[in-house]
Amino acid sequence: MSRIKFIAGNWKENLTLAEAKALIADLSPLVAGISNVEIAVCPTFLALTTVGGKVAGTNIQLGAQNAHAVEVDGKLVQSGAYTGEVSPAMVKDAGAQWVILGHSERRQYFGETDESVNVKIRACYEVALKPIVCVGETLEERESGTTAKVIEKQVRTCFKGLPADKVAESVVAYEPVWAIGTGKTATPEMAQEVHGLIRALLAEMFGPETANAVRIQYGGSMKPGNAKELLAQPDIDGGLIGGAALKAADFSEIIKAAV
Ligand code: PGA
């Protein structure tokens, strides 16, 4: 089964509106005409509609970096007294097709858990917003030999009880925490080992057909120089790109490595 590669840029807390518009103006001609790779950029909430306007009619899709939802008395809540938060319904309304959930920075600095990510994924499914669900081990976990255990817990809990047809359209991003923004990249073999494990877990939970449909991105210091060999691995279906997504030349090179 062939999966269309998917390269998404995670802009994090970067770029003013003017800078965001300039980046899209630089990027869109560099990737115009590429039809066999899906491309997305994920700006801050504040830049979603502006960037959405700039990418309209191009082959660049729009994503957010987070969304908020809670379950109250067994019901998903997508609005109300949650100061400072933005729901999947609002992200969708702003024109996004994608949302990054459970990024390690959100887990580390903002108390996000596998359980809260599971609720958020369900809220996304409710409004047909597709999640990019991040998992990954810390350096300490890798060095103590618990990577497989950590990833298994994350995948099983984040995807617990979800419908297989929606899971099939979702994306998982494997982002070893020690590789994010550090310049250290997992070797293609190291990454493939975990990607294979994630797909095997999804197969066990949802059946092989669903598992084969899910795109699994690699994230963590992916750049033009290492993208090709990572993307050549059988279970690496794209990339979630941080630093290198802020430069049109670098991001477009990574996209071209996926063609
Ligand atoms: P990086 O970030 O490419 O800067 O390592 C990736 C990510 O955090 O999504």
Side-chain angles (χ1 to χ4, degrees):
M1 135 145 232
S2 73
R3 291 175 292 269
I4 298 174
K5 294 245 187 329
F6 181 24
I7 307 290
N10 174 10
W11 291 0
K12 308 191 180 182
E13 193 186 41
N14 291 296
L15 306 183
T16 61
L17 290 178
E19 288 164 345
K21 283 194 267 192
L23 178 54
I24 296 301
D26 289 343
L27 177 67
S28 48
L30 296 176
V31 300
I34 295 176
S35 58
N36 58 348
V37 177
E38 275 190 59
I39 304 165
V41 292
C42 304
T44 64
F45 288 135
L46 209 56
L48 274 179
T49 51
T50 300
V51 172
K54 289 283 158 196
V55 299
T58 74
N59 56 345
I60 303 170
Q61 302 176 51
L62 186 68
Q65 301 170 17
N66 182 31
H68 172 263
V70 286
E71 191 170 27
V72 179
D73 298 331
K75 283 186 83 173
L76 293 168
V77 176
Q78 302 231 20
S79 65
Y82 300 98
T83 301
E85 296 299 329
V86 173
S87 69
M90 291 166 178
V91 168
K92 175 84 181 178
D93 184 50
Q97 297 95 336
W98 296 98
V99 62
I100 300 168
L101 293 179
H103 190 281
S104 64
E105 288 149 16
R106 300 233 36 105
R107 294 172 185 263
Q108 186 182 348
Y109 304 125
F110 304 102
E112 198 119 330
T113 64
D114 297 322
E115 288 76 13
S116 67
V117 170
N118 177 263
V119 172
K120 290 175 175 206
I121 298 174
R122 283 190 280 128
C124 286
Y125 288 169
E126 205 175 65
V127 296
L129 184 68
K130 291 183 282 186
I132 298 171
V133 181
C134 302
V135 298
E137 81 287 1
T138 62
L139 184 61
E140 202 184 359
E141 289 161 345
R142 175 154 290 265
E143 285 177 345
S144 65
T146 55
T147 297
K149 223 175 98 190
V150 168
I151 299 292
E152 173 163 2
K153 198 247 163 199
Q154 291 174 337
V155 171
R156 284 197 189 280
T157 311
C158 289
F159 287 93
K160 190 176 175 188
L162 301 178
D165 60 331
K166 295 281 196 339
V167 172
E169 295 175 356
S170 305
V171 167
V172 179
Y174 168 55
E175 300 205 304
V177 178
W178 48 271
I180 296 175
T182 58
K184 288 185 201 144
T185 319
T187 64
E189 295 72 26
M190 277 160 91
Q192 168 57 32
E193 192 183 353
V194 178
H195 282 235
L197 169 75
I198 293 168
R199 202 175 306 284
L201 283 166
L202 292 172
E204 204 188 299
M205 294 171 76
F206 302 104
E209 206 175 311
T210 299
N212 279 331
V214 173
R215 267 91 55 89
I216 307 176
Q217 295 174 326
Y218 169 80
S221 300
M222 199 191 249
K223 44 192 177 252
N226 61 26
K228 204 156 191 111
E229 50 175 5
L230 284 160
L231 292 165
Q233 298 297 313
D235 290 296
I236 300 185
D237 309 310
L240 184 56
I241 320 298
L246 297 173
K247 294 188 190 119
D250 286 356
F251 192 51
S252 66
E253 283 306 312
I254 295 172
I255 293 162
K256 284 172 190 162
V259 169

